[in-house]
Amino acid sequence: MSYQHIRELLGAKADELLQHECKTIDKSALHLPSPDFIDQVFAQSNRNAHVLRSLESIRNHGRLAGTGYISILPVDQGIEHTAGASFAANPAYFDPENIIKLAIEGGCNAVATTFGNLAMMSRKYAHKIPFVVKINHNELLTYPTKYNQIMFGSVEDAWNLGAVAVGATIYFGSEESSRQIVEVAEAFERAHELGMVTILWCYTRNNAFKKDGVNYETAADVTAQANHIGATIQADILKQKLPESNGGFTAINFAKSDPRMYSELSSDHPIDLCRYQVANGYMGRAGLINSGGESKGATDLADAVRSAVINKRAGGTGLILGRKAFQRPMQEGIALLNAVQDVYLASEVTIA
């Protein structure tokens, strides 16, 4: 996809997104994705040689190999959203082989899905694309519905099936978040011992975070603090939703904040809000990959390209895009994944 096509998909917002210059946190302060990112950042850390090799295997696979950027296909919705609701649009993805095929044909750096999906196809594909096992989930067969991430298997099992990374979710702000932090921190420690990369879905979840029609679960200040905690428990990569607002701490009147968070460290521009998320991941040392979000049909391509532009220009590491890709015919899903990757390959899309 050409730069001109990217501009066309952004429509009336093209100049606002592609020409914006951050006046908040300067790009010179960031640790930006690059071909030698592992040498410059993680080789200085406590990560052992096996973790470094696993990080390199992810960053050197697929269409973005060698760039420092990451494109991951995540399909954990069969548990998180029920399989029927997730795959009704394209029943082929009840078969886990098609999930892996989509990631491979789509040029992704890795595929992230459940223990069962990856175990079922382990010997056929573990050496063909990096596996990321999602080790905890929220299950939806309890009534009334509850939101509580629980472990679905062990780190050792993920290692045995050939995974190079484990992924986990913490619902920061939820009633169970303290237990989840302890569980995931312990799992990540074990994963590092075994040489695996750790990826954290840093989600916030609390009905009290919704006020006056605004969902502050995706506010920049709230999500960025979740990122900071994620980096603290040694997640190598942070997965986060793009911020849609700011001022969650002040609106809900909890935690602690400083007026400069909103006046100097961020603004209401979407790239500045995302940059604040990047900064809270140790200024980019723990790379930020933003979520591609739900599928909305006809606008999916434009929405995905917009998300990629915001993430890249903010200093992020890539996009993790699932439903927009697998809830459509495979060739269309491949084209959408490629379009997102083209944003990261486009030299004209620079760091703001």
Side-chain angles (χ1 to χ4, degrees), residues 199-247:
I199 304 175
L200 187 66
W201 277 240
C202 300
Y203 287 171
T204 65
R205 186 65 61 87
N206 192 316
N207 285 332
F209 291 176
K210 301 170 184 177
K211 183 178 180 181
D212 299 330
V214 179
N215 183 3
Y216 291 105
E217 288 178 337
T218 53
D221 53 351
V222 177
T223 54
Q225 182 60 22
N227 287 1
H228 197 72
I229 299 173
T232 297
I233 64 171
Q234 299 185 65
D236 302 315
I237 299 170
L238 307 169
K239 188 220 179 185
Q240 185 56 268
K241 297 179 181 180
L242 278 173
E244 298 177 359
S245 61
N246 205 356

Tab-separated table of all heavy atoms in Angstrom, residues 199-247:
chain	number	residue	atom	x	y	z
A	199	ILE	N	4.400	-10.893	27.251
A	199	ILE	CA	3.549	-9.846	26.675
A	199	ILE	C	2.349	-9.671	27.592
A	199	ILE	O	1.663	-10.645	27.917
A	199	ILE	CB	3.078	-10.222	25.255
A	199	ILE	CG1	4.281	-10.524	24.353
A	199	ILE	CG2	2.226	-9.105	24.662
A	199	ILE	CD1	3.893	-11.029	22.965
A	200	LEU	N	2.083	-8.439	28.004
A	200	LEU	CA	0.981	-8.188	28.930
A	200	LEU	C	-0.113	-7.345	28.281
A	200	LEU	O	0.146	-6.260	27.775
A	200	LEU	CB	1.471	-7.481	30.191
A	200	LEU	CG	0.402	-7.327	31.283
A	200	LEU	CD1	-0.012	-8.688	31.827
A	200	LEU	CD2	0.893	-6.447	32.426
A	201	TRP	N	-1.339	-7.890	28.306
A	201	TRP	CA	-2.535	-7.138	27.936
A	201	TRP	C	-2.879	-6.269	29.159
A	201	TRP	O	-3.442	-6.745	30.136
A	201	TRP	CB	-3.678	-8.093	27.657
A	201	TRP	CG	-3.782	-8.727	26.306
A	201	TRP	CD1	-4.844	-8.601	25.447
A	201	TRP	CD2	-2.874	-9.640	25.653
A	201	TRP	NE1	-4.636	-9.359	24.309
A	201	TRP	CE2	-3.428	-10.002	24.403
A	201	TRP	CE3	-1.621	-10.170	25.999
A	201	TRP	CZ2	-2.798	-10.862	23.514
A	201	TRP	CZ3	-0.978	-11.019	25.126
A	201	TRP	CH2	-1.556	-11.361	23.902
A	202	CYS	N	-2.531	-4.981	29.106
A	202	CYS	CA	-2.667	-4.085	30.275
A	202	CYS	C	-4.032	-3.406	30.274
A	202	CYS	O	-4.146	-2.193	30.076
A	202	CYS	CB	-1.565	-3.025	30.256
A	202	CYS	SG	0.105	-3.657	30.305
A	203	TYR	N	-5.078	-4.175	30.493
A	203	TYR	CA	-6.429	-3.631	30.412
A	203	TYR	C	-6.910	-3.116	31.770
A	203	TYR	O	-6.558	-3.678	32.810
A	203	TYR	CB	-7.397	-4.686	29.898
A	203	TYR	CG	-7.246	-4.976	28.422
A	203	TYR	CD1	-7.918	-6.032	27.836
A	203	TYR	CD2	-6.428	-4.188	27.605
A	203	TYR	CE1	-7.787	-6.301	26.476
A	203	TYR	CE2	-6.292	-4.443	26.252
A	203	TYR	CZ	-6.970	-5.505	25.698
A	203	TYR	OH	-6.843	-5.763	24.351
A	204	THR	N	-7.719	-2.067	31.745
A	204	THR	CA	-8.349	-1.587	32.974
A	204	THR	C	-9.827	-1.941	32.916
A	204	THR	O	-10.450	-1.878	31.855
A	204	THR	CB	-8.156	-0.067	33.156
A	204	THR	OG1	-8.828	0.629	32.117
A	204	THR	CG2	-6.672	0.289	33.120
A	205	ARG	N	-10.374	-2.324	34.055
A	205	ARG	CA	-11.754	-2.796	34.074
A	205	ARG	C	-12.389	-2.470	35.413
A	205	ARG	O	-12.026	-3.032	36.439
A	205	ARG	CB	-11.780	-4.309	33.826
A	205	ARG	CG	-13.159	-4.932	33.685
A	205	ARG	CD	-13.903	-4.439	32.475
A	205	ARG	NE	-13.223	-4.749	31.232
A	205	ARG	CZ	-13.370	-5.890	30.550
A	205	ARG	NH1	-14.138	-6.848	31.008
A	205	ARG	NH2	-12.751	-6.056	29.395
A	206	ASN	N	-13.318	-1.526	35.393
A	206	ASN	CA	-14.084	-1.195	36.591
A	206	ASN	C	-15.254	-0.328	36.150
A	206	ASN	O	-15.049	0.698	35.486
A	206	ASN	CB	-13.218	-0.441	37.607
A	206	ASN	CG	-13.871	-0.341	38.967
A	206	ASN	OD1	-15.057	-0.048	39.075
A	206	ASN	ND2	-13.105	-0.579	40.022
A	207	ASN	N	-16.453	-0.731	36.480
A	207	ASN	CA	-17.628	0.047	36.072
A	207	ASN	C	-17.609	1.459	36.630
A	207	ASN	O	-18.199	2.368	36.058
A	207	ASN	CB	-18.909	-0.677	36.508
A	207	ASN	CG	-19.207	-1.884	35.632
A	207	ASN	OD1	-18.836	-1.919	34.455
A	207	ASN	ND2	-19.882	-2.880	36.200
A	208	ALA	N	-16.908	1.659	37.737
A	208	ALA	CA	-16.820	2.999	38.324
A	208	ALA	C	-15.972	3.939	37.470
A	208	ALA	O	-15.976	5.152	37.691
A	208	ALA	CB	-16.255	2.910	39.736
A	209	PHE	N	-15.213	3.389	36.516
A	209	PHE	CA	-14.392	4.229	35.637
A	209	PHE	C	-15.217	4.863	34.517
A	209	PHE	O	-14.669	5.561	33.665
A	209	PHE	CB	-13.256	3.411	35.015
A	209	PHE	CG	-12.195	2.964	35.998
A	209	PHE	CD1	-11.162	2.149	35.583
A	209	PHE	CD2	-12.233	3.349	37.330
A	209	PHE	CE1	-10.172	1.724	36.469
A	209	PHE	CE2	-11.270	2.936	38.231
A	209	PHE	CZ	-10.239	2.118	37.798
A	210	LYS	N	-16.517	4.615	34.515
A	210	LYS	CA	-17.408	5.194	33.509
A	210	LYS	C	-18.262	6.265	34.184
A	210	LYS	O	-18.978	5.991	35.139
A	210	LYS	CB	-18.285	4.111	32.889
A	210	LYS	CG	-17.466	3.005	32.218
A	210	LYS	CD	-18.319	1.824	31.810
A	210	LYS	CE	-17.454	0.698	31.241
A	210	LYS	NZ	-18.243	-0.501	30.891
A	211	LYS	N	-18.154	7.490	33.661
A	211	LYS	CA	-18.835	8.602	34.322
A	211	LYS	C	-19.263	9.640	33.289
A	211	LYS	O	-18.485	9.988	32.394
A	211	LYS	CB	-17.909	9.253	35.356
A	211	LYS	CG	-18.541	10.384	36.148
A	211	LYS	CD	-17.569	10.935	37.181
A	211	LYS	CE	-18.199	12.067	37.975
A	211	LYS	NZ	-17.259	12.636	38.962
A	212	ASP	N	-20.500	10.099	33.418
A	212	ASP	CA	-21.041	11.158	32.551
A	212	ASP	C	-20.876	10.829	31.072
A	212	ASP	O	-20.546	11.690	30.246
A	212	ASP	CB	-20.374	12.500	32.864
A	212	ASP	CG	-20.607	12.957	34.290
A	212	ASP	OD1	-21.669	12.619	34.851
A	212	ASP	OD2	-19.717	13.626	34.854
A	213	GLY	N	-21.084	9.558	30.738
A	213	GLY	CA	-21.024	9.149	29.345
A	213	GLY	C	-19.632	8.927	28.792
A	213	GLY	O	-19.468	8.636	27.602
A	214	VAL	N	-18.607	9.056	29.629
A	214	VAL	CA	-17.225	8.852	29.190
A	214	VAL	C	-16.676	7.582	29.832
A	214	VAL	O	-16.827	7.371	31.040
A	214	VAL	CB	-16.332	10.054	29.575
A	214	VAL	CG1	-14.885	9.805	29.138
A	214	VAL	CG2	-16.858	11.340	28.952
A	215	ASN	N	-16.041	6.735	29.018
A	215	ASN	CA	-15.432	5.508	29.529
A	215	ASN	C	-13.958	5.779	29.796
A	215	ASN	O	-13.132	5.758	28.880
A	215	ASN	CB	-15.593	4.373	28.529
A	215	ASN	CG	-15.027	3.068	29.064
A	215	ASN	OD1	-14.565	3.000	30.205
A	215	ASN	ND2	-15.059	2.026	28.251
A	216	TYR	N	-13.630	6.013	31.046
A	216	TYR	CA	-12.247	6.321	31.413
A	216	TYR	C	-11.380	5.066	31.537
A	216	TYR	O	-10.202	5.173	31.876
A	216	TYR	CB	-12.218	7.123	32.710
A	216	TYR	CG	-12.779	8.516	32.543
A	216	TYR	CD1	-14.044	8.843	33.027
A	216	TYR	CD2	-12.059	9.509	31.874
A	216	TYR	CE1	-14.565	10.126	32.863
A	216	TYR	CE2	-12.569	10.782	31.700
A	216	TYR	CZ	-13.830	11.079	32.202
A	216	TYR	OH	-14.338	12.349	32.028
A	217	GLU	N	-11.946	3.886	31.226
A	217	GLU	CA	-11.121	2.682	31.147
A	217	GLU	C	-10.079	2.807	30.034
A	217	GLU	O	-9.054	2.125	30.070
A	217	GLU	CB	-11.994	1.453	30.897
A	217	GLU	CG	-12.826	1.040	32.095
A	217	GLU	CD	-13.702	-0.156	31.797
A	217	GLU	OE1	-14.005	-0.407	30.615
A	217	GLU	OE2	-14.092	-0.854	32.751
A	218	THR	N	-10.351	3.661	29.051
A	218	THR	CA	-9.386	3.879	27.969
A	218	THR	C	-8.805	5.295	28.012
A	218	THR	O	-8.313	5.795	27.006
A	218	THR	CB	-10.037	3.627	26.599
A	218	THR	OG1	-11.238	4.409	26.474
A	218	THR	CG2	-10.382	2.161	26.417
A	219	ALA	N	-8.851	5.940	29.171
A	219	ALA	CA	-8.225	7.252	29.316
A	219	ALA	C	-6.706	7.113	29.306
A	219	ALA	O	-6.155	6.126	29.783
A	219	ALA	CB	-8.676	7.912	30.617
A	220	ALA	N	-6.031	8.113	28.768
A	220	ALA	CA	-4.576	8.043	28.629
A	220	ALA	C	-3.889	7.901	29.985
A	220	ALA	O	-2.943	7.116	30.127
A	220	ALA	CB	-4.063	9.288	27.903
A	221	ASP	N	-4.331	8.659	30.992
A	221	ASP	CA	-3.643	8.590	32.282
A	221	ASP	C	-3.842	7.239	32.953
A	221	ASP	O	-2.906	6.673	33.533
A	221	ASP	CB	-4.089	9.738	33.208
A	221	ASP	CG	-5.603	9.852	33.392
A	221	ASP	OD1	-6.360	9.151	32.678
A	221	ASP	OD2	-6.041	10.660	34.238
A	222	VAL	N	-5.049	6.679	32.861
A	222	VAL	CA	-5.348	5.401	33.493
A	222	VAL	C	-4.618	4.259	32.773
A	222	VAL	O	-3.962	3.421	33.404
A	222	VAL	CB	-6.870	5.153	33.514
A	222	VAL	CG1	-7.189	3.780	34.104
A	222	VAL	CG2	-7.576	6.250	34.321
A	223	THR	N	-4.725	4.210	31.454
A	223	THR	CA	-4.080	3.125	30.700
A	223	THR	C	-2.562	3.219	30.777
A	223	THR	O	-1.875	2.190	30.816
A	223	THR	CB	-4.518	3.147	29.228
A	223	THR	OG1	-4.272	4.452	28.658
A	223	THR	CG2	-5.996	2.826	29.096
A	224	ALA	N	-2.035	4.430	30.807
A	224	ALA	CA	-0.581	4.583	30.881
A	224	ALA	C	-0.041	4.060	32.210
A	224	ALA	O	1.035	3.458	32.259
A	224	ALA	CB	-0.193	6.045	30.687
A	225	GLN	N	-0.774	4.285	33.298
A	225	GLN	CA	-0.335	3.731	34.587
A	225	GLN	C	-0.395	2.215	34.569
A	225	GLN	O	0.467	1.547	35.155
A	225	GLN	CB	-1.184	4.288	35.732
A	225	GLN	CG	-0.781	3.800	37.110
A	225	GLN	CD	0.655	4.165	37.487
A	225	GLN	OE1	1.230	5.103	36.941
A	225	GLN	NE2	1.228	3.420	38.421
A	226	ALA	N	-1.400	1.655	33.889
A	226	ALA	CA	-1.448	0.198	33.726
A	226	ALA	C	-0.209	-0.276	32.973
A	226	ALA	O	0.398	-1.297	33.328
A	226	ALA	CB	-2.727	-0.201	32.983
A	227	ASN	N	0.190	0.465	31.943
A	227	ASN	CA	1.416	0.126	31.225
A	227	ASN	C	2.629	0.149	32.159
A	227	ASN	O	3.505	-0.715	32.083
A	227	ASN	CB	1.659	1.124	30.081
A	227	ASN	CG	0.716	0.926	28.914
A	227	ASN	OD1	-0.146	0.069	28.928
A	227	ASN	ND2	0.889	1.730	27.883
A	228	HIS	N	2.675	1.169	33.009
A	228	HIS	CA	3.827	1.323	33.899
A	228	HIS	C	3.922	0.149	34.877
A	228	HIS	O	5.021	-0.358	35.145
A	228	HIS	CB	3.721	2.649	34.658
A	228	HIS	CG	5.005	3.076	35.276
A	228	HIS	ND1	6.069	3.553	34.555
A	228	HIS	CD2	5.405	3.089	36.575
A	228	HIS	CE1	7.074	3.850	35.364
A	228	HIS	NE2	6.690	3.573	36.605
A	229	ILE	N	2.780	-0.294	35.373
A	229	ILE	CA	2.785	-1.465	36.249
A	229	ILE	C	3.197	-2.698	35.454
A	229	ILE	O	3.952	-3.547	35.933
A	229	ILE	CB	1.405	-1.671	36.911
A	229	ILE	CG1	1.025	-0.453	37.768
A	229	ILE	CG2	1.415	-2.934	37.764
A	229	ILE	CD1	-0.387	-0.514	38.313
A	230	GLY	N	2.721	-2.804	34.212
A	230	GLY	CA	3.098	-3.929	33.368
A	230	GLY	C	4.592	-4.003	33.142
A	230	GLY	O	5.196	-5.085	33.199
A	231	ALA	N	5.216	-2.851	32.889
A	231	ALA	CA	6.666	-2.827	32.722
A	231	ALA	C	7.366	-3.192	34.029
A	231	ALA	O	8.423	-3.832	34.034
A	231	ALA	CB	7.113	-1.447	32.250
A	232	THR	N	6.754	-2.822	35.150
A	232	THR	CA	7.337	-3.104	36.454
A	232	THR	C	7.369	-4.597	36.759
A	232	THR	O	8.304	-5.081	37.400
A	232	THR	CB	6.551	-2.353	37.554
A	232	THR	OG1	6.682	-0.952	37.334
A	232	THR	CG2	7.069	-2.686	38.935
A	233	ILE	N	6.368	-5.342	36.305
A	233	ILE	CA	6.396	-6.791	36.525
A	233	ILE	C	7.129	-7.492	35.378
A	233	ILE	O	7.018	-8.700	35.205
A	233	ILE	CB	4.996	-7.385	36.752
A	233	ILE	CG1	4.115	-7.238	35.520
A	233	ILE	CG2	4.342	-6.745	37.968
A	233	ILE	CD1	2.792	-8.007	35.655
A	234	GLN	N	7.890	-6.712	34.611
A	234	GLN	CA	8.843	-7.192	33.608
A	234	GLN	C	8.201	-7.779	32.358
A	234	GLN	O	8.697	-8.744	31.770
A	234	GLN	CB	9.843	-8.169	34.229
A	234	GLN	CG	10.664	-7.522	35.341
A	234	GLN	CD	11.731	-8.432	35.888
A	234	GLN	OE1	12.657	-8.796	35.182
A	234	GLN	NE2	11.605	-8.787	37.164
A	235	ALA	N	7.081	-7.185	31.935
A	235	ALA	CA	6.569	-7.489	30.602
A	235	ALA	C	7.537	-6.906	29.576
A	235	ALA	O	7.957	-5.762	29.700
A	235	ALA	CB	5.182	-6.898	30.417
A	236	ASP	N	7.896	-7.701	28.583
A	236	ASP	CA	8.801	-7.226	27.539
A	236	ASP	C	8.068	-6.373	26.514
A	236	ASP	O	8.650	-5.474	25.905
A	236	ASP	CB	9.450	-8.417	26.825
A	236	ASP	CG	10.206	-9.316	27.786
A	236	ASP	OD1	10.947	-8.776	28.632
A	236	ASP	OD2	10.040	-10.545	27.712
A	237	ILE	N	6.791	-6.685	26.299
A	237	ILE	CA	5.948	-5.961	25.355
A	237	ILE	C	4.630	-5.668	26.054
A	237	ILE	O	4.066	-6.532	26.740
A	237	ILE	CB	5.700	-6.790	24.079
A	237	ILE	CG1	7.029	-7.094	23.365
A	237	ILE	CG2	4.755	-6.064	23.125
A	237	ILE	CD1	6.904	-8.110	22.244
A	238	LEU	N	4.126	-4.451	25.889
A	238	LEU	CA	2.882	-4.018	26.521
A	238	LEU	C	1.794	-3.877	25.457
A	238	LEU	O	1.988	-3.190	24.461
A	238	LEU	CB	3.080	-2.681	27.227
A	238	LEU	CG	4.247	-2.601	28.216
A	238	LEU	CD1	4.491	-1.159	28.630
A	238	LEU	CD2	3.990	-3.483	29.431
A	239	LYS	N	0.673	-4.543	25.678
A	239	LYS	CA	-0.464	-4.400	24.774
A	239	LYS	C	-1.512	-3.529	25.443
A	239	LYS	O	-1.903	-3.776	26.583
A	239	LYS	CB	-1.060	-5.759	24.427
A	239	LYS	CG	-2.122	-5.646	23.326
A	239	LYS	CD	-3.302	-6.529	23.575
A	239	LYS	CE	-4.332	-6.365	22.484
A	239	LYS	NZ	-5.575	-7.112	22.735
A	240	GLN	N	-1.970	-2.504	24.725
A	240	GLN	CA	-2.904	-1.557	25.321
A	240	GLN	C	-3.863	-1.039	24.261
A	240	GLN	O	-3.517	-0.928	23.079
A	240	GLN	CB	-2.129	-0.379	25.937
A	240	GLN	CG	-2.962	0.623	26.701
A	240	GLN	CD	-3.762	-0.013	27.819
A	240	GLN	OE1	-4.916	-0.400	27.610
A	240	GLN	NE2	-3.153	-0.142	29.007
A	241	LYS	N	-5.060	-0.689	24.682
A	241	LYS	CA	-6.008	-0.034	23.783
A	241	LYS	C	-5.572	1.410	23.556
A	241	LYS	O	-5.012	2.048	24.451
A	241	LYS	CB	-7.413	-0.072	24.384
A	241	LYS	CG	-7.952	-1.487	24.551
A	241	LYS	CD	-9.335	-1.489	25.179
A	241	LYS	CE	-9.844	-2.914	25.363
A	241	LYS	NZ	-11.197	-2.950	25.987
A	242	LEU	N	-5.832	1.921	22.361
A	242	LEU	CA	-5.537	3.331	22.115
A	242	LEU	C	-6.373	4.207	23.044
A	242	LEU	O	-7.557	3.930	23.273
A	242	LEU	CB	-5.852	3.697	20.665
A	242	LEU	CG	-4.792	3.370	19.615
A	242	LEU	CD1	-5.350	3.654	18.221
A	242	LEU	CD2	-3.523	4.177	19.846
A	243	PRO	N	-5.786	5.263	23.589
A	243	PRO	CA	-6.554	6.137	24.487
A	243	PRO	C	-7.623	6.906	23.727
A	243	PRO	O	-7.387	7.396	22.619
A	243	PRO	CB	-5.489	7.078	25.053
A	243	PRO	CG	-4.367	7.052	24.078
A	243	PRO	CD	-4.385	5.699	23.455
A	244	GLU	N	-8.784	7.003	24.323
A	244	GLU	CA	-9.899	7.719	23.711
A	244	GLU	C	-10.301	8.953	24.513
A	244	GLU	O	-11.206	9.678	24.131
A	244	GLU	CB	-11.098	6.774	23.565
A	244	GLU	CG	-10.814	5.581	22.657
A	244	GLU	CD	-11.976	4.610	22.578
A	244	GLU	OE1	-12.999	4.858	23.260
A	244	GLU	OE2	-11.874	3.612	21.844
A	245	SER	N	-9.628	9.168	25.645
A	245	SER	CA	-9.923	10.321	26.500
A	245	SER	C	-8.718	10.531	27.403
A	245	SER	O	-7.692	9.884	27.255
A	245	SER	CB	-11.195	10.078	27.328
A	245	SER	OG	-11.020	8.954	28.181
A	246	ASN	N	-8.854	11.429	28.341
A	246	ASN	CA	-7.822	11.646	29.347
A	246	ASN	C	-8.494	12.166	30.611
A	246	ASN	O	-9.690	12.457	30.624
A	246	ASN	CB	-6.760	12.638	28.840
A	246	ASN	CG	-5.418	12.441	29.519
A	246	ASN	OD1	-5.276	11.624	30.422
A	246	ASN	ND2	-4.419	13.194	29.096
A	247	GLY	N	-7.744	12.270	31.676
A	247	GLY	CA	-8.284	12.814	32.917
A	247	GLY	C	-9.129	11.851	33.713
A	247	GLY	O	-9.998	12.280	34.482
